[in-house]
């Protein structure tokens, strides 16, 4: 007898879509095949639905003090919103300031995440390269935390890593089988441009994007890649937005550099025209939203394998936090100053729907590719495969049932992210998660959350060395 049988769905992996049943015992997948309904204590009929491995979000910032703000959600609330988007595991970053121990901060973060309804993990973060900080890298890897984030910008916020820190972290990460993750934007280019705007007294939302153009990202991207080649280590670049950077990646891949590139659904579906709106500050995120041209370049990168990962970079701030340092003019409109707006937009709940709709329903990519981009590849490169990221015997029974015919108009009212606006308001999607199952238990069913606060567990991770030695996740 099995605890659960999911019957007659199309079971999706990166390489196949097979109509079969999935049997679950306790928290694990017991088998795939054909089972009689009498063999299951509970049977879920999944005719016509696709069954994918639960989405893994490896890029979000929840309860993360930044630019004077904290975010709208507690970790429990974030996990509920995530579950509605098919997410069954997520990872956040240690909060770091100069003088902090990366290890202590990472463990503190894991502790904060205990209230999550879904499994979780943490990335270390580096803002300096003192001998003590570098020594923490091995200790973190030993404790199942083999990924280390650095920012190439945000100097004023005190979280930028200089070149030396990057090189030292790269070197040590290589020694312990770890992987640096880098936010690539040139602080120098951005700050110089911002100074010019200040001189002209034009700090409009539109100028935010102009201060951080493609070249600002592409220069830092190339520098990070050269550093990785210099040290001979692997590198993961988060939230890449444009073809200029992708061309650098292609050249690196030709040389065999294990460079893993992530993009986010907002860069595929939202554009810089939002900065022309009165409430354009709600769309301020870094790197900035770009144009449809860059989005088309990203779709190419997804198709040709230059981009193997997606992440939402979720930073859910409500209007009050996005606006808290702004003033209004006598006519009631904003006195625009983009330097007074916290960077970040919400997205954890809509990453899968947007990829299903804009990707699969529009014929750009297959559902198998979506499986890779939202789950399998994430589990592999972040080191929790095959416990996560695949529907196979002995893997965790983390599953998301998808109805490719379901049409939803995105709006603040249909999402569960605790904020009073939605940048995708009115955006129609076709293809939506209709049930989320984590470790064999139903988390979301028929629009209702059925999970439990604190049910999430810390997942220790270890990266397969072959992914760090050469490019590719096969
Ligand atoms: N980008 C954002 O938009 N917010 C937080 C951090 C980041 O890199
Ligand atoms: Zn970033
Ligand atoms: Zn981020």
């Amino acid at each position: 007898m099995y605890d659960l049988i999911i019957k007659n769905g199309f079971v999706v992996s990166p390489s196949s879509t097979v109509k079969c049943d999935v049997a679950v015992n306790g928290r694990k997948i017991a088998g795939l095949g054909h089972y009689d309904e009498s063999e299951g204590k509970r049977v879920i009929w999944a005719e016509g639905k696709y069954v994918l491995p639960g989405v893994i979000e490896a890029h979000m910032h929840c309860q993360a003090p930044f630019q004077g703000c904290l975010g709208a959600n507690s970790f429990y609330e974030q996990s509920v919103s995530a579950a509605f988007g098919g997410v069954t595991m997520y990872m956040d970053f240690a909060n770091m300031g100069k003088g902090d121990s990366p290890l202590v901060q990472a463990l503190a973060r894991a502790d904060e995440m205990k209230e999550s309804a879904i499994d979780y993990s943490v990335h270390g973060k580096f803002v300096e390269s003192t001998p003590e900080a570098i020594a923490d890298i091995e200790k973190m890897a030993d404790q199942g935390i083999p990924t280390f984030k650095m920012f190439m910008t945000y100097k004023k916020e005190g979280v930028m890593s200089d070149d030396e820190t990057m090189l030292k972290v790269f070197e040590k990460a290589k020694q312990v089988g770890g992987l640096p993750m880098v936010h690539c934007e040139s602080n120098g280019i951005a700050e110089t441009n911002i100074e010019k705007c200040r001189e002209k007294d034009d700090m409009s939302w539109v100028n935010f994007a102009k201060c951080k153009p493609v070249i600002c990202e592409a220069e830092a991207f190339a520098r990070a890649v050269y550093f990785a080649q210099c040290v001979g280590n692997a590198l993961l670049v988060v939230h890449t937005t444009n073809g200029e950077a992708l061309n650098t990646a292609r050249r690196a891949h030709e040389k065999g550099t294990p460079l893993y590139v992530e993009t986010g659904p907002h860069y595929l579906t939202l554009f810089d025209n939002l900065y022309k709106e009165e409430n354009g500050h709600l769309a301020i995120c870094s790197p900035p939203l770009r144009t449809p041209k860059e989005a088309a370049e990203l779709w190419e990168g997804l198709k040709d394998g230059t981009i193997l990962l997606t992440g939402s970079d979720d930073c859910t701030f409500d209007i009050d936090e996005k606006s808290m340092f702004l003033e209004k003019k006598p006519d009631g409109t904003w006195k625009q100053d983009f330097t007074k707006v916290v960077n970040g937009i919400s997205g954890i709940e809509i990453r899968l729907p947007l990829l299903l709709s804009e990707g699969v329903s529009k014929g750009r990519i297959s559902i198998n590719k979506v499986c890779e981009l939202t789950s399998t590849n994430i589990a592999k490169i972040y080191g929790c495969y095959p416990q996560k990221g695949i529907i196979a015997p002995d893997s965790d029974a983390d599953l998301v049932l998808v109805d490719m015919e379901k049409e939803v108009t995105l709006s603040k009212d249909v999402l569960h992210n605790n904020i009073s606006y939605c940048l995708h308001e009115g955006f129609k999607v076709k293809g939506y998660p209709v049930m989320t199952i984590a470790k064999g238990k139903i988390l979301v069913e028929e629009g209702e959350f059925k999970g439990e606060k604190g049910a999430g567990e810390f997942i220790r991770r270890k990266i397969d060395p072959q992914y760090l030695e050469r490019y590719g996740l096969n």
Side-chain angles (χ1 to χ4, degrees):
M1 199 72 176
Y2 298 102
D3 290 328
L4 183 65
I5 293 174
I6 298 148
K7 262 202 97 50
N8 287 343
F10 296 112
V11 178
V12 180
S13 77
S15 57
S16 66
T17 306
V18 179
K19 188 169 184 190
C20 68
D21 309 330
V22 181
V24 174
N25 249 343
R27 57 186 289 160
K28 296 281 178 191
I29 293 168
L32 279 81
H34 294 284
Y35 300 88
D36 194 86
E37 57 188 285
S38 63
E39 292 179 82
K41 290 185 196 154
R42 176 163 181 195
V43 176
I44 291 165
W45 295 95
E47 248 94 14
K49 310 277 191 305
Y50 290 81
V51 187
L52 282 87
V55 173
I56 304 170
E57 179 61 79
H59 190 169
M60 65 174 202
H61 307 266
C62 179
Q63 292 288 300
F66 187 56
Q67 296 175 321
C69 301
L70 192 60
N73 289 330
S74 66
F75 273 109
Y76 172 63
E77 291 164 332
Q78 178 87 350
S79 65
V80 173
S81 171
F84 277 101
V87 180
T88 53
M89 177 182 172
Y90 59 19
M91 306 177 205
D92 207 313
F93 303 89
N95 290 320
M96 282 292 294
K98 292 224 161 79
D100 289 340
S101 151
L103 171 67
V104 169
Q105 292 302 102
L107 297 178
R109 196 70 170 148
D111 213 49
E112 274 183 79
M113 295 177 82
K114 274 186 179 154
E115 65 178 45
S116 303
I118 60 175
D119 286 348
Y120 56 90
S121 183
V122 185
H123 307 292
K125 196 195 285 173
F126 283 79
V127 297
E128 61 186 344
S129 52
T130 59
E132 297 77 21
I134 295 298
D136 273 4
I137 291 180
E138 186 161 13
K139 296 178 201 154
M140 281 192 268
D142 286 346
Q143 300 206 34
I145 303 171
T147 40
F148 313 107
K149 171 82 179 286
M150 279 161 288
F151 289 96
M152 295 175 80
T153 187
Y154 296 133
K155 188 174 182 185
K156 285 189 175 146
E157 287 79 1
V159 292
M160 184 184 101
S161 284
D162 59 16
D163 293 355
E164 194 186 339
T165 295
M166 287 179 64
L167 287 161
K168 285 188 176 165
V169 172
F170 283 17
E171 187 78 54
K172 190 72 191 177
K174 182 185 173 187
Q175 287 168 21
V176 304
L179 178 66
M181 305 165 67
V182 181
H183 169 132
C184 295
E185 281 187 298
S186 159
N187 195 74
I189 293 176
E191 285 300 332
T192 311
N193 286 338
I194 292 168
E195 264 328 294
K196 283 186 199 148
C197 288
R198 211 181 286 285
E199 277 159 25
K200 288 189 201 139
D201 198 22
D202 184 357
M203 306 302 279
S204 57
W205 317 144
V206 169
N207 271 354
F208 168 72
K210 289 190 180 156
C211 284
K212 296 177 141 203
V214 162
I215 203 166
C216 172
E217 183 185 334
E219 184 276 333
F221 190 106
R223 189 154 31 104
V225 172
Y226 282 131
F227 285 173
Q229 289 171 338
C230 186
V231 171
N233 70 309
L235 174 64
L236 190 155
V237 179
V238 295
H239 52 46
T240 300
T241 71
N242 63 81
E244 182 79 18
L246 293 184
N247 285 337
T248 299
R250 289 183 180 105
R251 281 195 302 276
H253 292 156
E254 272 164 27
K255 289 187 186 154
T257 304
L259 164 67
Y260 295 92
V261 180
E262 175 204 87
T263 193
H266 44 310
Y267 298 114
L268 298 164
T269 57
L270 297 175
F271 306 113
D272 60 359
N273 59 314
L274 288 182
Y275 300 128
K276 291 188 186 144
E277 293 183 9
E278 169 64 7
N279 272 336
H281 64 309
L282 302 181
I284 285 186
C285 61
S286 281
L289 300 175
R290 308 252 185 240
T291 71
K293 172 185 167 284
E294 278 82 29
E297 293 165 357
L298 292 176
W299 283 112
E300 274 316 305
L302 289 166
K303 283 186 211 164
D304 72 13
T306 308
I307 303 173
L308 291 182
L309 310 164
T310 61
S312 72
D313 196 9
D314 184 280
C315 303
T316 300
F317 298 110
D318 208 347
I319 298 180
D320 55 353
E321 277 195 294
K322 289 291 277 189
S323 317
M324 71 189 284
F325 301 110
L326 295 173
E327 288 162 31
K328 289 215 162 159
K329 295 193 287 201
D331 66 359
T333 59
W334 293 115
K335 187 166 182 277
Q336 298 192 6
D337 183 344
F338 62 81
T339 61
K340 294 186 173 161
V341 180
V342 65
N343 287 211
I345 64 183
S346 186
I348 197 165
E349 193 174 333
I350 52 176
R351 173 163 149 245
L352 177 62
L354 288 171
L355 286 167
L356 290 171
S357 184
E358 292 297 298
V360 183
S361 295
K362 294 208 169 153
R364 291 175 167 127
I365 52 176
S366 68
I367 197 155
N368 312 89
K369 186 83 175 171
V370 170
C371 171
E372 285 186 359
L373 292 169
T374 59
S375 186
T376 312
N377 285 354
I378 316 287
K380 284 181 172 175
I381 196 57
Y382 287 99
C384 50
Y385 183 88
Q387 180 183 358
K388 307 286 185 189
I390 189 83
I391 304 176
D394 292 329
S395 293
D396 282 353
D398 291 354
L399 305 164
V400 53
L401 270 62
V402 160
D403 181 350
M404 283 309 298
E405 297 307 313
K406 183 164 173 165
E407 294 184 53
V408 174
T409 303
L410 296 180
S411 136
K412 63 180 168 43
D413 302 323
V414 305
L415 301 178
H416 304 79
N417 57 356
N418 246 352
I419 56 173
S420 51
Y421 67 99
C422 171
L423 292 176
H424 286 89
E425 192 71 41
F427 195 102
K428 289 186 176 24
V429 292
K430 186 172 180 201
Y432 215 82
V434 290
M435 183 183 278
T436 308
I437 299 169
K439 293 181 289 186
K441 295 214 169 110
I442 293 172
L443 270 191
V444 175
E445 182 178 25
E446 288 178 4
E448 215 184 302
F449 182 72
K450 299 191 166 170
E452 225 180 283
K453 191 170 183 175
E457 294 166 290
F458 176 75
I459 302 296
R460 289 176 71 93
R461 299 180 285 119
K462 186 172 176 11
I463 306 171
D464 186 333
Q466 62 171 329
Y467 305 143
L468 303 176
E469 282 155 17
R470 49 111 182 120
Y471 180 62
L473 296 173
N474 296 318

